[in-house]
Amino acid sequence: MLRIQPARPRTPSRGRVGLAIAGGGPIGGMYELGALRAMEEAIEGLDLTALEVYVGVSSGAFLAAGLANRMDTATMTRIFITGDRDDVTFHPDNFVQPALAEYARRVMSLPRHVLRWWRDLLLDPGSANLHATMARLGALIPAGLFDNDALGRFLAEAFSRHGRTNDFRELRRRLYVVAVDLDNGEAVRFGDHGWDDVPISRAVQASAALPGLYPPVCIRGRQFVDGALRRTMHASVALEAGIDLLIGINPLVPFDASAARAHGRRPRSLVEGGLPMVLSQTFRTLLQSRVEIGMARYAQQYRAIDQLLLEPDADDARMFFTSVFSYASRRQVCDHAYRATLADLRARRQQLAPLLARHGLRLRDEILDHADRGAFDGLGHRRRRQTETTARLRRALDDVEALVIAPRRAARLRRS
């Protein structure tokens, strides 16, 4: 579903576009990749690797960091989906390895907790109740099931090749990765002043540390977890950056079974799925409700900025019933999101065309009218392996091309 909030009043645009990408686990990230790929192909003039500002939360931070590092959607599709990229090798199994170090640390703390328990019992025998004992035992439970250090190493390697960078300060565009300090609930923008010396890979690792699944990430002695704990998309970070057009993507929405039945589908009742389904629906409802509240506030607070929000349809059974941690489904979900996004753009073509034209952008009818087009049709042939020198030269040529194109686009915007 595509939500459009046009600017009121419409002021002259400088063509500055910002992107805010929410989290949603591995499958949410693949949905976002498919949606971004559809927009990149269907909107002429939209270079997702050369936007004004990027904001990423949790799995969305992967994509935001990649785009800010000039990895286009085709490159990331080859890395995360098809696996035919030579310079970066993605192994999904590496991200679901048990957090053995965390387990060992908790086991080693057992004698200390037992001694404290005996001491408190001797000093205050009344403290030996069930609730107090359960609270003490809770300290022995690991803070996360899976090890996220492999994630950080993978990103550090990916951002250290082919002219990319793992340093916020070396990026050509602004990138903000949001995580939350577990001890005080403060949202921290990595990439902002005072936090831009933290490696991008470490910031993404912290932003994606979903409590319970991954342990908190220690940075400067502070423990950071998933940035979605405070806000779903943190779009205000992009809106405050002086942009003219915001593109936001939120992959998790609550499922509307009644709407699905109205369209001829007969999904089972969610309660039949037990606690996992109930928790999933609850979590998605909380996330989307914050998005709706934020968008309503942004419409008033940032009236001069056009805002587009992409989300799955409420009756999208594929997105709801596919586990957010099912790496095996990433190809199908990416293609599903691509086709759904093209369908949204096609259905709202008349309303979108003048809004995009204000920012020097144009819908490609030849893409929108290709009803059978999928996410992998435009990948083309596999590129020959590049050396570091070739990759850096290609980036330099891209910079020169951008310098040539920028004045033409500015003149076009002035005319419009």
Side-chain angles (χ1 to χ4, degrees), residues 45-231:
L46 180 64
D47 184 353
L48 291 176
T49 66
L51 304 182
E52 183 69 19
V53 60
Y54 302 85
V55 180
V57 181
S58 194
S59 59
F62 282 80
L63 302 177
L67 292 170
N69 242 308
R70 289 193 275 180
M71 298 168 67
D72 59 18
T73 61
T75 297
M76 288 193 284
T77 299
R78 291 187 181 280
I79 292 173
F80 293 113
I81 308 293
T82 63
D84 60 351
R85 184 78 183 185
D86 292 325
D87 60 320
V88 181
T89 303
F90 174 67
H91 295 295
D93 292 345
N94 289 342
F95 302 106
V96 288
Q97 296 297 320
L100 298 179
E102 171 67 8
Y103 298 168
R105 188 173 71 85
R106 297 291 171 170
V107 170
M108 292 174 64
S109 71
L110 177 61
R112 183 176 74 253
H113 287 291
V114 171
L115 288 174
R116 288 180 178 176
W117 183 78
W118 276 107
R119 182 198 64 190
D120 294 343
L121 183 62
L122 292 173
L123 295 176
D124 182 13
S127 66
N129 57 67
L130 179 60
H131 294 293
T133 302
M134 292 298 294
R136 292 179 182 278
L137 292 176
L140 300 175
I141 300 175
L145 296 177
F146 304 120
D147 181 14
N148 53 5
D149 284 337
L151 184 154
R153 290 192 296 269
F154 166 79
L155 292 174
E157 181 180 3
F159 294 153
S160 300
R161 294 184 175 184
H162 285 195
R164 305 177 194 124
T165 180
N166 200 26
D167 191 327
F168 284 98
R169 297 164 295 186
E170 295 178 359
L171 293 172
R172 295 172 61 246
R173 305 291 179 172
R174 285 175 287 179
L175 167 67
Y176 300 105
V177 174
V178 185
V180 171
D181 187 324
L182 181 64
D183 291 327
N184 59 23
E186 176 192 358
V188 171
R189 306 174 183 178
F190 294 105
D192 207 350
H193 180 69
W195 290 99
D196 53 0
D197 59 327
V198 176
I200 297 173
S201 57
R202 190 70 172 170
V204 175
Q205 181 183 347
S207 182
L210 182 63
L213 290 178
Y214 293 106
V217 176
C218 183
I219 300 175
R220 297 182 185 174
R222 299 169 65 175
Q223 302 293 329
F224 288 97
V225 294
D226 196 316
L229 265 65
R230 283 298 299 267
R231 295 180 185 174

Side-chain angles (χ1 to χ4, degrees), residues 232-306:
T232 302
M233 204 162 50
H234 290 269
S236 60
V237 178
L239 291 165
E240 292 167 0
I243 59 174
D244 304 293
L245 170 64
L246 170 72
I247 298 173
I249 307 180
N250 171 39
L252 297 184
V253 299
F255 183 64
D256 188 343
S258 59
R261 286 191 289 269
H263 287 86
R265 294 185 288 273
R266 297 286 179 181
R268 61 183 181 179
S269 174
L270 298 186
V271 74
E272 294 179 10
L275 182 60
M277 285 292 178
V278 173
L279 290 178
S280 176
Q281 181 77 333
T282 302
F283 182 63
R284 291 163 182 263
T285 302
L286 289 172
L287 289 178
Q288 198 205 29
S289 66
R290 293 192 301 181
V291 171
E292 291 179 345
I293 292 171
M295 293 297 289
R297 186 174 70 252
Y298 301 153
Q300 300 299 319
Q301 190 174 354
Y302 304 97
R303 294 190 175 190
I305 302 175
D306 288 315

